[in-house]
Amino acid sequence: MPELVTSQGMLLLSAVLGYLLGSIPFGILVTRAMGLGDLRSIGSGNIGATNVLRTGNKGAALATLFLDGGKGAVAVLVARWLLAEDAAQVAGLAAFLGHLFPVWLGFRGGKGVATFLGLMLALSWVVGAALCVTWLVVALIGRTSSIAALVAAASSALWILWLTDGSLLVLSLVLTVLIYVRHGE
């Protein structure tokens, strides 16, 4: 955990703003904008990039992937820029929770993988890059996005311990558990 230097009020504000940013359902917005129908009635009904890919539109899936990852990264980077590392981690966690449980969709959101990768890239680019490579290698070998996501998430603690001072460990463990819970559905 990082040193707590930000006031409770500012941490709460970071959490609220991070949540609101994370709760933007980019998968639904992209598919609607491209005339691809209601994403929640396609495939798994999930709002993430993997389900957007089931529409057959790779561009829409790629846009959703980058937008969902971007919202996690932006939450972290803005909180770090304006406040400190503790606020960055709080904002990242809140953005992740916003993606999983968006208020706009009755708290039924995505599985959080792209948002997880985006916020990890912003918190520690080297760990984020290792997670992206882990996901890619497992996806190429196993040909299954969800298995690649689970392996990448599970490996996050190892990458953090190997490549950093460990201050992201608690956050990564919380995010990993949530990813496993969401994939259990």
Side-chain angles (χ1 to χ4, degrees), residues 95-120:
F96 183 80
L97 292 172
H99 181 78
L100 268 56
F101 309 107
V103 65
W104 327 113
L105 301 176
F107 304 101
R108 290 183 302 252
K111 295 180 181 176
V113 177
T115 306
F116 168 72
L117 293 174
L119 72 89
M120 292 305 286

Side-chain angles (χ1 to χ4, degrees), residues 116-117 120-121 126-136 148 151-157 159-160:
F116 168 72
L117 293 174
M120 292 305 286
L121 279 163
V126 68
V127 170
L131 293 173
C132 289
V133 169
T134 301
W135 182 92
L136 183 60
V151 171
S155 73
S156 65
W159 288 118
I160 287 166

Side-chain angles (χ1 to χ4, degrees), residues 1 17 19 33 74 114 118 127 149:
M1 298 226 1
L17 294 176
Y19 173 85
V74 167
V127 170

Side-chain angles (χ1 to χ4, degrees), residues 27-124:
I28 290 175
L29 297 175
V30 167
T31 53
R32 255 191 216 154
M34 299 180 97
L36 300 173
D38 182 6
L39 184 60
R40 292 169 290 177
S41 64
I42 298 168
S44 67
N46 193 281
I47 65 167
T50 301
N51 201 44
V52 173
L53 187 59
R54 291 184 181 108
T55 67
N57 191 312
K58 291 179 184 176
L62 191 60
T64 302
L65 176 70
F66 283 119
L67 289 166
D68 282 349
K71 65 187 178 184
V74 167
V76 166
L77 295 173
V78 169
R80 179 185 287 149
W81 178 59
L82 293 174
L83 299 167
E85 193 62 27
D86 57 344
Q89 286 196 28
V90 166
L93 173 61
F96 183 80
L97 292 172
H99 181 78
L100 268 56
F101 309 107
V103 65
W104 327 113
L105 301 176
F107 304 101
R108 290 183 302 252
K111 295 180 181 176
V113 177
T115 306
F116 168 72
L117 293 174
L119 72 89
M120 292 305 286
L121 279 163
L123 287 166
S124 169

Side-chain angles (χ1 to χ4, degrees), residues 24 118 125 146 174:
I24 299 170
W125 72 266
S146 59
V174 169

Side-chain angles (χ1 to χ4, degrees), residues 2-22:
E3 181 182 354
L4 296 176
V5 296
T6 306
S7 71
Q8 290 179 350
M10 294 308 286
L11 286 175
L12 179 60
L13 182 61
S14 297
V16 169
L17 294 176
Y19 173 85
L20 291 173
L21 179 60

